[in-house]
Amino acid sequence: MRLDPVVGAAIADAYMAAPTRDERAYPAYAAFCHETVQQYHFLIGRVEFGGLGISVHIVDVDPYPNVAAMVDDVRQRRLMVWASAASGNAHPYLSDGENDMFRAVHDVFGHAASGRGFDRHGEEAAWWKHSSMYSSLAGRALATETRGQNCARIFRYDPGRFPEQKAVLLPPAFSDPRLVRLTGSAATSAAAP
């Protein structure tokens, strides 16, 4: 799966043009938060009770140079997550703890599950893979948190900086994984709204 740069730039523009928060997005974020907490409890839950038994440690620096190092840790039932609080970029809806839970589940169920890294193509594959674990309502918020924010970072920001976090919904053309067409090795979305 690869992210077409024209689509990525259009997603980035939609994210950048959106306000910091939109109350119409709150039901999607409430569902997203609830479903993320459930995934997190499965992630850290004891193996004998059906969980994955992964020990999550919140750290103040970016812990992994690449996805292979993270996957190696996950195989050993541990995961380090870069603390939301360390970024100085507070989320307008999620608490730092909720955002850290999301980072953990996205790293495991998006990046590790797809085996893809943190470049634009890896982020696209991780969003697409992880979206199957969310309801359609919560998936709208997931798309903003992953696809929107990463496209803004990659296409509109210095690669080392992250854009302002937002609690908004991207247009359905950019947030519905069913609208992604796989053509050969490239993934494209429906035309921009």
Side-chain angles (χ1 to χ4, degrees), residues 41-96:
H41 285 292
F42 171 66
L43 181 75
I44 66 169
R46 292 172 40 180
V47 173
E48 59 269 28
F49 296 119
L52 296 179
I54 295 179
S55 175
V56 175
H57 303 279
I58 309 301
V59 297
D60 289 334
V61 294
D62 192 354
Y64 298 112
N66 54 52
V67 75
M70 183 185 67
V71 169
D72 190 47
D73 261 5
V74 170
R75 285 188 180 123
Q76 296 176 51
R77 296 190 190 275
R78 64 180 182 229
L79 176 71
M80 291 183 287
V81 174
W82 192 2
S84 298
S87 72
N89 188 4
H91 197 282
Y93 186 91
L94 303 173
S95 70
D96 285 344

Coordinates of all heavy atoms in Angstrom, one line a residue, residues 41-96:
H41 N -7.1 -2.4 26.8 CA -7.2 -3.4 27.8 C -6.9 -4.8 27.3 O -6.4 -5.7 27.9 CB -8.6 -3.3 28.5 CG -8.7 -2.2 29.5 ND1 -7.9 -2.1 30.6 CD2 -9.3 -1.0 29.4 CE1 -8.2 -1.0 31.3 NE2 -9.0 -0.3 30.5
F42 N -7.3 -5.0 26.0 CA -7.0 -6.3 25.3 C -5.5 -6.4 25.2 O -4.9 -7.5 25.4 CB -7.7 -6.4 24.0 CG -7.2 -7.6 23.2 CD1 -7.5 -8.9 23.6 CD2 -6.6 -7.3 22.0 CE1 -7.1 -9.9 22.8 CE2 -6.2 -8.4 21.2 CZ -6.4 -9.7 21.6
L43 N -4.8 -5.3 24.8 CA -3.4 -5.3 24.6 C -2.6 -5.6 25.8 O -1.7 -6.4 25.8 CB -3.0 -3.9 24.1 CG -1.5 -3.6 23.8 CD1 -1.1 -4.3 22.5 CD2 -1.2 -2.1 23.7
I44 N -3.0 -5.0 27.0 CA -2.2 -5.2 28.2 C -2.8 -6.4 29.0 O -2.2 -6.8 30.0 CB -2.1 -4.0 29.0 CG1 -3.5 -3.5 29.6 CG2 -1.5 -2.8 28.3 CD1 -3.5 -2.4 30.6
G45 N -4.0 -6.9 28.7 CA -4.6 -7.9 29.5 C -3.8 -9.2 29.6 O -3.0 -9.5 28.7
R46 N -4.0 -9.8 30.7 CA -3.2 -11.1 31.0 C -3.6 -12.1 29.9 O -4.8 -12.3 29.6 CB -3.5 -11.5 32.4 CG -2.9 -10.6 33.4 CD -3.3 -10.8 34.8 NE -3.3 -12.2 35.2 CZ -3.6 -12.7 36.4 NH1 -4.0 -11.8 37.4 NH2 -3.7 -14.0 36.7
V47 N -2.6 -12.8 29.5 CA -2.7 -13.9 28.5 C -3.7 -15.0 28.9 O -4.6 -15.4 28.1 CB -1.4 -14.5 28.1 CG1 -1.5 -15.7 27.2 CG2 -0.4 -13.4 27.5
E48 N -3.6 -15.4 30.2 CA -4.5 -16.4 30.6 C -6.0 -16.0 30.6 O -6.9 -16.9 30.8 CB -4.1 -16.9 32.0 CG -4.1 -15.9 33.1 CD -2.8 -15.2 33.3 OE1 -2.0 -15.0 32.4 OE2 -2.5 -14.7 34.5
F49 N -6.3 -14.7 30.5 CA -7.6 -14.3 30.4 C -8.0 -13.7 29.0 O -9.0 -13.0 28.8 CB -7.9 -13.2 31.5 CG -7.8 -13.7 32.9 CD1 -6.8 -13.1 33.7 CD2 -8.6 -14.7 33.3 CE1 -6.7 -13.6 35.0 CE2 -8.5 -15.2 34.6 CZ -7.5 -14.6 35.5
G50 N -7.2 -14.1 28.0 CA -7.5 -13.8 26.6 C -6.8 -12.5 26.1 O -7.0 -12.1 25.0
G51 N -6.0 -11.8 26.9 CA -5.3 -10.6 26.5 C -4.0 -10.9 25.8 O -3.6 -12.1 25.7
L52 N -3.3 -9.9 25.4 CA -2.0 -10.1 24.7 C -0.9 -10.1 25.7 O 0.2 -10.5 25.3 CB -1.8 -9.1 23.6 CG -2.8 -9.2 22.4 CD1 -2.5 -8.1 21.4 CD2 -2.8 -10.5 21.8
G53 N -1.1 -9.5 26.9 CA 0.0 -9.5 27.9 C 1.1 -8.6 27.6 O 2.3 -8.9 28.0
I54 N 0.9 -7.5 26.9 CA 2.0 -6.6 26.5 C 2.2 -5.6 27.6 O 1.2 -4.9 28.0 CB 1.8 -6.0 25.1 CG1 1.8 -7.1 24.1 CG2 2.8 -4.9 24.8 CD1 1.6 -6.7 22.7
S55 N 3.4 -5.4 28.0 CA 3.7 -4.4 29.1 C 4.1 -3.1 28.3 O 5.0 -3.0 27.5 CB 4.9 -4.9 29.9 OG 5.4 -3.9 30.8
V56 N 3.3 -2.1 28.6 CA 3.5 -0.8 28.0 C 4.2 0.2 28.9 O 3.8 0.3 30.1 CB 2.1 -0.2 27.5 CG1 2.3 1.2 27.0 CG2 1.4 -1.1 26.5
H57 N 5.2 0.8 28.4 CA 6.0 1.8 29.1 C 6.0 3.1 28.4 O 6.3 3.2 27.2 CB 7.4 1.4 29.3 CG 7.6 0.0 30.0 ND1 7.5 -0.1 31.4 CD2 7.7 -1.2 29.5 CE1 7.6 -1.4 31.6 NE2 7.7 -2.1 30.5
I58 N 5.5 4.2 29.1 CA 5.5 5.5 28.5 C 6.8 6.2 28.7 O 7.3 6.3 29.9 CB 4.3 6.4 29.1 CG1 3.0 5.6 29.1 CG2 4.2 7.7 28.4 CD1 2.5 5.1 27.8
V59 N 7.4 6.7 27.7 CA 8.8 7.3 27.8 C 8.8 8.7 27.2 O 7.9 9.0 26.4 CB 9.8 6.4 27.0 CG1 9.9 5.0 27.7 CG2 9.5 6.2 25.6
D60 N 9.8 9.5 27.5 CA 9.8 10.9 27.1 C 10.5 11.2 25.8 O 10.6 12.3 25.4 CB 10.5 11.7 28.2 CG 9.6 11.8 29.5 OD1 8.4 11.7 29.3 OD2 10.1 12.0 30.6
V61 N 11.0 10.2 25.2 CA 11.7 10.3 23.9 C 11.1 9.3 22.9 O 10.6 8.3 23.3 CB 13.2 10.2 24.0 CG1 13.8 11.3 24.8 CG2 13.6 8.8 24.5
D62 N 11.3 9.6 21.6 CA 10.9 8.7 20.6 C 11.7 7.4 20.7 O 12.9 7.4 20.6 CB 11.1 9.3 19.2 CG 10.4 8.5 18.1 OD1 9.8 7.4 18.3 OD2 10.4 9.0 16.9
P63 N 11.0 6.3 21.1 CA 11.8 5.1 21.5 C 12.3 4.2 20.4 O 13.2 3.4 20.6 CB 10.7 4.3 22.3 CG 9.4 4.7 21.8 CD 9.6 6.1 21.3
Y64 N 11.8 4.3 19.2 CA 12.2 3.3 18.1 C 12.7 4.0 16.9 O 12.1 4.9 16.3 CB 10.9 2.5 17.7 CG 10.4 1.7 18.9 CD1 9.2 1.9 19.5 CD2 11.2 0.6 19.4 CE1 8.7 1.2 20.5 CE2 10.7 -0.1 20.5 CZ 9.5 0.1 21.0 OH 9.0 -0.6 22.1
P65 N 13.9 3.5 16.4 CA 14.5 4.1 15.2 C 13.7 3.6 13.9 O 13.8 4.2 12.9 CB 15.9 3.6 15.2 CG 15.8 2.3 16.0 CD 14.8 2.5 17.0
N66 N 13.0 2.5 14.1 CA 12.3 1.9 12.9 C 11.3 0.9 13.4 O 11.3 0.5 14.6 CB 13.3 1.2 12.0 CG 14.1 0.2 12.7 OD1 13.7 -0.7 13.3 ND2 15.5 0.4 12.5
V67 N 10.4 0.5 12.5 CA 9.3 -0.5 12.9 C 9.9 -1.8 13.3 O 9.3 -2.5 14.2 CB 8.2 -0.6 11.8 CG1 8.7 -1.4 10.6 CG2 6.9 -1.1 12.4
A68 N 11.0 -2.3 12.8 CA 11.5 -3.6 13.1 C 11.9 -3.6 14.6 O 11.7 -4.6 15.3 CB 12.8 -3.9 12.3
A69 N 12.5 -2.6 15.1 CA 12.8 -2.5 16.6 C 11.5 -2.6 17.4 O 11.5 -3.3 18.5 CB 13.6 -1.3 16.9
M70 N 10.5 -1.9 17.0 CA 9.2 -2.0 17.7 C 8.6 -3.4 17.7 O 8.2 -3.9 18.7 CB 8.3 -0.9 17.2 CG 7.0 -0.9 18.0 SD 5.8 0.2 17.3 CE 5.4 -0.6 15.7
V71 N 8.6 -4.0 16.5 CA 8.0 -5.3 16.3 C 8.8 -6.3 17.2 O 8.2 -7.2 17.8 CB 8.0 -5.7 14.8 CG1 7.7 -7.2 14.7 CG2 7.0 -4.9 14.1
D72 N 10.1 -6.2 17.3 CA 10.9 -7.0 18.1 C 10.5 -6.9 19.6 O 10.4 -8.0 20.2 CB 12.4 -6.7 17.9 CG 13.3 -7.7 18.6 OD1 13.1 -8.9 18.4 OD2 14.3 -7.3 19.3
D73 N 10.3 -5.7 20.0 CA 9.8 -5.5 21.4 C 8.4 -6.2 21.6 O 8.2 -6.8 22.6 CB 9.8 -4.0 21.8 CG 11.0 -3.6 22.6 OD1 11.9 -4.4 22.8 OD2 10.9 -2.4 23.0
V74 N 7.5 -6.0 20.6 CA 6.2 -6.5 20.8 C 6.2 -8.0 20.8 O 5.5 -8.7 21.6 CB 5.3 -6.0 19.6 CG1 4.0 -6.8 19.6 CG2 5.0 -4.5 19.7
R75 N 7.1 -8.6 20.1 CA 7.3 -10.1 20.1 C 7.7 -10.6 21.5 O 7.4 -11.7 21.9 CB 8.3 -10.6 19.1 CG 7.7 -10.6 17.7 CD 8.7 -11.2 16.7 NE 8.2 -11.2 15.4 CZ 8.8 -10.6 14.4 NH1 10.0 -10.1 14.5 NH2 8.2 -10.6 13.2
Q76 N 8.4 -9.7 22.2 CA 8.8 -10.0 23.6 C 7.8 -9.5 24.6 O 8.1 -9.4 25.8 CB 10.2 -9.4 23.8 CG 11.3 -10.0 22.9 CD 12.6 -9.4 23.1 OE1 13.1 -9.3 24.2 NE2 13.2 -9.0 22.0
R77 N 6.6 -9.1 24.2 CA 5.5 -8.6 25.0 C 5.8 -7.4 25.8 O 5.5 -7.2 27.0 CB 5.0 -9.7 26.0 CG 4.5 -10.9 25.2 CD 3.8 -11.9 26.2 NE 3.4 -13.1 25.6 CZ 2.3 -13.4 24.9 NH1 1.5 -12.4 24.7 NH2 2.1 -14.6 24.4
R78 N 6.4 -6.4 25.1 CA 6.7 -5.1 25.7 C 6.6 -4.1 24.6 O 6.8 -4.4 23.4 CB 8.0 -5.1 26.4 CG 9.2 -5.3 25.5 CD 10.5 -5.2 26.3 NE 11.6 -5.3 25.3 CZ 12.6 -6.2 25.5 NH1 12.7 -7.0 26.5 NH2 13.6 -6.2 24.6
L79 N 6.3 -2.9 25.0 CA 6.2 -1.8 24.0 C 6.5 -0.5 24.8 O 6.0 -0.2 25.9 CB 4.7 -1.7 23.5 CG 4.4 -0.5 22.5 CD1 5.1 -0.7 21.2 CD2 2.9 -0.4 22.3
M80 N 7.3 0.4 24.1 CA 7.5 1.7 24.6 C 6.7 2.7 23.8 O 6.7 2.5 22.6 CB 9.0 2.1 24.6 CG 9.8 1.2 25.6 SD 11.6 1.7 25.6 CE 12.1 1.0 24.0
V81 N 6.1 3.7 24.4 CA 5.3 4.7 23.7 C 5.8 6.0 24.1 O 6.0 6.3 25.3 CB 3.8 4.5 24.2 CG1 2.9 5.6 23.6 CG2 3.3 3.2 23.7
W82 N 6.0 6.9 23.1 CA 6.4 8.2 23.3 C 5.3 9.0 23.9 O 4.2 9.1 23.4 CB 6.8 8.8 21.9 CG 7.5 10.1 22.0 CD1 7.9 10.8 23.1 CD2 7.9 10.9 20.9 NE1 8.5 12.0 22.7 CE2 8.5 12.1 21.4 CE3 7.8 10.8 19.5 CZ2 9.1 13.0 20.5 CZ3 8.3 11.7 18.7 CH2 8.9 12.9 19.2
A83 N 5.5 9.5 25.1 CA 4.5 10.2 25.9 C 3.9 11.4 25.2 O 4.6 12.3 24.7 CB 5.1 10.7 27.3
S84 N 2.6 11.5 25.2 CA 1.9 12.6 24.7 C 2.3 13.9 25.4 O 2.5 14.9 24.7 CB 0.4 12.4 24.8 OG 0.0 11.3 24.1
A85 N 2.5 13.8 26.7 CA 2.9 15.0 27.5 C 4.2 15.6 27.1 O 4.5 16.8 27.2 CB 2.8 14.7 29.0
A86 N 5.1 14.7 26.6 CA 6.5 15.2 26.2 C 6.5 16.0 24.9 O 7.4 16.8 24.7 CB 7.4 13.9 26.0
S87 N 5.4 15.9 24.2 CA 5.4 16.7 22.9 C 5.0 18.1 23.1 O 5.2 19.0 22.2 CB 4.4 16.0 21.9 OG 3.0 16.2 22.4
G88 N 4.3 18.5 24.2 CA 3.9 19.8 24.4 C 2.8 20.2 23.4 O 2.6 21.4 23.1
N89 N 2.1 19.2 22.9 CA 1.0 19.4 21.9 C -0.2 18.8 22.3 O -0.6 17.7 21.9 CB 1.5 18.8 20.5 CG 0.6 19.2 19.4 OD1 -0.3 19.9 19.5 ND2 1.0 18.6 18.2
A90 N -0.9 19.4 23.3 CA -2.1 18.8 24.0 C -3.2 18.6 23.0 O -3.4 19.3 22.0 CB -2.5 19.7 25.1
H91 N -3.9 17.5 23.2 CA -5.1 17.2 22.3 C -6.3 17.9 22.9 O -6.5 18.0 24.1 CB -5.3 15.6 22.4 CG -6.2 15.2 21.3 ND1 -7.6 15.3 21.3 CD2 -5.9 14.6 20.1 CE1 -8.1 14.9 20.2 NE2 -7.1 14.4 19.4
P92 N -7.1 18.4 22.0 CA -8.3 19.2 22.4 C -9.4 18.3 23.0 O -10.4 18.9 23.6 CB -8.7 20.0 21.2 CG -8.2 19.2 20.0 CD -7.0 18.5 20.5
Y93 N -9.4 17.0 22.8 CA -10.4 16.2 23.3 C -9.9 15.1 24.2 O -10.4 14.8 25.3 CB -11.2 15.5 22.1 CG -12.4 14.7 22.6 CD1 -13.7 15.3 22.7 CD2 -12.3 13.4 22.9 CE1 -14.8 14.6 23.1 CE2 -13.4 12.7 23.4 CZ -14.7 13.3 23.5 OH -15.8 12.6 23.9
L94 N -8.8 14.4 23.8 CA -8.3 13.3 24.6 C -7.4 13.8 25.7 O -6.6 14.7 25.5 CB -7.5 12.3 23.7 CG -8.2 11.7 22.5 CD1 -7.2 11.0 21.6 CD2 -9.4 10.8 22.9
S95 N -7.4 13.1 26.8 CA -6.4 13.4 27.9 C -5.1 12.8 27.4 O -5.0 12.0 26.5 CB -6.8 12.7 29.2 OG -6.7 11.3 29.1
D96 N -4.0 13.2 28.0 CA -2.7 12.6 27.7 C -2.7 11.1 27.9 O -2.1 10.4 27.0 CB -1.5 13.2 28.5 CG -1.2 14.6 28.1 OD1 -1.5 15.0 27.0 OD2 -0.5 15.3 28.9

